[in-house]
Amino acid sequence: MRTMGNMKKSITADSDFAAWAAARSQKTNRSLAGARLAIPEPQKHAEIKSQAQQWGMTVEDATMTDEHNEEFLCDGTQSIDSITDMRKASGLEAMEYAEQHMPVLRDTMDSLTTRVDFSGIRIAVCLILEPKTAILLRKLKAAGAIVGVYCGPDSTDPRVAEQLRREGITVESSRDWTAEQAHEAALHLLDEIQPDIIIDDGASFARLASLERPELTANLIGVAEETTSGVRAFQQMQEAGALTYPVVAVNDSVLKTGFDNAHGTGETCVTTMQRILGEHAFDGKNVTVIGYGPVGQGFARRIRALGAEVTICDIDPVASLKAVFDGFAAQDIDEALPCADMVVSATGVRHTVTLEHMRAMHEGATLAVIGGIANEIALDEVSDFTPQVNRDTVQLNVPDGPTLTLIADGDGVNYTVGGGNPIEIMDLSFAVQASAVAYLLEHRGTLDHTLIRLDAATDQRIAASALKARGYRASHAVEDNGYNWRLTRFAENDRENADR
């Protein structure tokens, strides 16, 4: 039986799921989705139980929970103040903490290295540089690969960059770069690593190589692409006949889109905005979410659990209808914006929020991007706006319009001014990334220069590992269910009647 923790400032003592979720997410960068929440007598805390379940947690009675599989158990009786704040840890400590909670990547790499030789493979990585990414780099290096990583100034964790350099990984990363310096650093990494494989975010590195280092792409085994916007860019390259190497669309794995986007980005964008705007910033607010893909869905469901009135704007009638069936209002953007206290763009499409849209918003409204690409909000049309790195908020004076509160200078909220997607979520995504690299190596020289999707069996193996780590498992089917396509319901009925 479990011993109940300190009740002071606990989720049950304060009956405040919003405050607890924000604090735990920001301090630990652990995922609430997929975790178990132990609270005493859940039936007496119906609101907490409902909110936790809407966030993707299973809820159980703390007095009945044993010590089995504590890795994914959240003690709801624990004082928030007693939770260690990993944001204050050293780079080494933060990386070791992340590695401790990434069993799926560990299991996947152990399996892959029994059949794939990573020795001497030169891998250039363009990803957000923080503790979870560092574990992927460590694993690839430990398998024998030569690894180098680039990260722009807006999404670099300096303590991690410095630690990786100590461990012998080539790092091009600085928060102090100008745009020109960032460009030169990216080219420098390409020139130094001379990659066989690129692990990419937004198709940034591969497109840079195609445009400015085409000689490098001639020997490229392939690319593993992490994001929706990157897959979209490679699709356009393919249609234009400009794709000269195979690309594995890691983003199209259900373990990426269905978990990383919906649960990882959806959850951490909420809790990062809570840190900036206040734990109860969504309660009673009218929030317009533009885009009802996985990111928008994950975000919308969680802020509704925290008391927001949510309106969805999506140009796809099917997505809009899905939003309605999920219990949200669906409106045209011109209808929704004037009434919105917050506007959140979740499309990954340039100029989703135009200057005219900003002019339609009311004075003091909040504007943010979750997920995000450059100028998803048309800030390039606001002449006196100058972006800065890692700035929580700024007052945006819209020409001939209102003054808005802009979060993270219009960049992706969770990775620029927050800790990025949770550890357990990136554990899944990086297991897919590692599998994509192994696939490219196993099939080198035989793949068409096109977008490739990993097979369902890869997702199933990774999902089975994740279930096992959490103490769960999928069910099984009978070996022979007697299926015969000739046996219709009518034939079944005829046979049953004959037997009577």
Side-chain angles (χ1 to χ4, degrees):
M1 306 291 283
R2 288 182 54 80
T3 301
M4 291 177 57
N6 184 353
M7 295 292 288
K8 182 181 179 183
K9 293 188 178 180
S10 69
I11 186 174
T12 47
D14 295 345
S15 296
D16 192 343
F17 179 82
W20 177 84
R24 189 179 190 279
S25 173
Q26 290 296 298
K27 284 185 171 185
T28 67
N29 199 217
R30 300 286 304 279
S31 178
L32 300 181
R36 299 150 58 211
L37 174 62
I39 56 176
E41 300 180 287
Q43 68 276 12
K44 292 186 178 180
H45 300 283
E47 184 176 358
I48 291 173
K49 182 178 179 180
S50 174
Q51 288 175 305
Q53 288 172 333
Q54 289 179 72
W55 275 53
M57 306 185 78
T58 56
V59 181
E60 54 194 64
D61 192 327
T63 62
M64 302 297 292
T65 301
D66 60 27
E67 301 295 327
H68 174 67
N69 198 38
E70 291 226 332
E71 169 68 17
F72 297 95
L73 183 68
C74 302
D75 184 354
T77 68
Q78 181 184 13
S79 164
I80 290 174
D81 291 342
S82 70
I83 298 172
T84 302
D85 193 339
M86 294 308 298
R87 294 171 296 185
K88 300 176 182 178
S90 68
L92 179 60
E93 289 168 338
M95 288 163 58
E96 290 180 343
Y97 180 81
E99 187 160 12
Q100 177 186 347
H101 301 299
M102 297 177 74
V104 181
L105 176 61
R106 179 172 60 248
D107 184 47
T108 300
M109 283 298 295
D110 286 347
S111 174
L112 292 175
T113 52
T114 64
R115 69 172 198 267
V116 180
D117 186 7
F118 290 81
S119 300
I121 299 300
R122 308 180 71 84
I123 304 176
V125 180
C126 177
L127 292 174
I128 296 166
L129 187 55
E130 38 80 43
K132 286 104 54 189
T133 307
I135 305 311
L136 174 64
L137 304 180
R138 267 184 173 179
K139 295 291 185 186
L140 292 171
K141 183 175 184 293
I146 299 165
V147 183
V149 61
Y150 166 87
C151 185
D154 58 346
S155 47
T156 287
D157 186 333
R159 59 188 178 153
V160 172
E162 186 55 37
Q163 178 60 34
L164 287 174
R165 291 186 182 102
R166 293 192 192 103
E167 296 182 9
I169 291 174
T170 301
V171 178
E172 289 287 348
S173 172
S174 173
R175 284 190 171 183
D176 300 324
W177 282 334
T178 63
E180 292 76 15
Q181 289 171 325
H183 184 177
E184 288 303 314
L187 290 173
H188 184 266
L189 185 72
L190 283 173
D191 292 338
E192 181 169 350
I193 295 296
Q194 299 276 313
D196 300 307
I197 289 176
I198 292 174
I199 297 178
D200 217 345
D201 182 331
S204 302
F205 237 45
R207 283 188 290 172
L208 179 68
S210 292
L211 294 169
E212 299 189 39
R213 294 292 189 270
E215 67 279 8
L216 294 181
T217 65
N219 299 316
L220 202 59
I221 295 172
V223 176
E225 170 54 47
E226 174 85 358
T227 66
T228 304
S229 58
V231 170
R232 188 181 295 130
F234 283 126
Q235 183 67 49
Q236 291 176 345
M237 289 177 69
Q238 181 176 310
E239 291 168 358
L243 192 60
T244 60
Y245 37 79
V247 177
V248 178
V250 171
N251 181 77
D252 290 0
S253 161
V254 293
L255 291 175
K256 169 61 171 66
T257 304
F259 293 82
D260 187 310
N261 295 3
H263 295 293
T265 305
E267 180 173 294
T268 53
C269 283
V270 173
T271 58
T272 302
M273 290 177 70
Q274 285 179 284
R275 178 188 67 76
I276 294 168
L277 302 174
E279 295 161 346
H280 300 282
F282 296 102
D283 193 9
K285 294 295 192 298
N286 292 318
V287 183
T288 292
V289 177
I290 307 171
Y292 201 61
V295 171
Q297 292 169 31
F299 183 84
R301 289 170 181 165
R302 286 173 173 83
I303 61 172
R304 177 170 61 185
L306 300 184
E309 293 292 332
V310 183
T311 298
I312 302 298
C313 299
D314 197 298
I315 61 173
D316 182 354
V318 175
S320 296
L321 183 63
K322 178 173 172 51
V324 171
F325 271 63
D326 287 341
F328 298 105
Q331 292 184 328
D332 182 77
I333 193 169
D334 291 341
E335 271 185 280
L337 291 184
C339 305
D341 301 310
M342 297 184 191
V343 175
V344 177
S345 181
T347 66
V349 176
R350 185 177 184 273
H351 283 203
T352 292
V353 179
T354 66
L355 185 57
E356 288 307 311
H357 289 145
M358 288 183 265
R359 286 172 175 153
M361 294 171 64
H362 70 65
E363 183 71 21
T366 299
L367 181 59
V369 170
I370 58 176
I373 61 168
N375 289 317
E376 190 162 326
I377 300 169
L379 297 170
D380 52 324
E381 295 184 354
V382 180
S383 57
D384 64 347
F385 173 73
T386 303
Q388 296 182 20
V389 175
N390 305 115
R391 179 168 58 178
D392 284 350
T393 64
V394 64
Q395 295 303 296
L396 179 68
N397 299 311
V398 179
D400 301 317
T403 298
L404 307 174
T405 298
L406 179 67
I407 298 181
D409 283 350
D411 210 337
V413 165
N414 68 331
Y415 61 83
T416 53
V417 293
N421 284 349
I423 294 169
E424 291 84 356
I425 298 297
M426 296 312 298
D427 189 24
L428 300 177
S429 291
F430 287 152
V432 180
Q433 279 282 17
S435 299
V437 171
Y439 180 87
L440 289 168
L441 291 177
E442 287 181 298
H443 297 86
R444 63 191 301 175
T446 67
L447 299 172
D448 293 334
H449 297 167
T450 185
L451 277 166
I452 300 161
R453 288 159 183 82
L454 295 175
D455 61 9
T458 298
D459 283 341
Q460 290 166 357
R461 282 193 296 270
I462 295 169
S465 175
L467 283 168
K468 182 180 178 182
R470 288 161 172 78
Y472 300 117
R473 62 178 180 176
S475 187
H476 73 285
V478 294
E479 290 185 10
D480 181 9
N481 61 9
Y483 179 76
N484 183 332
W485 70 266
R486 296 178 180 83
L487 192 62
T488 69
R489 68 176 66 185
F490 309 107
E492 292 263 22
N493 291 339
D494 290 343
R495 187 171 66 182
E496 288 174 7
N497 291 332
D499 291 340
R500 288 175 184 167

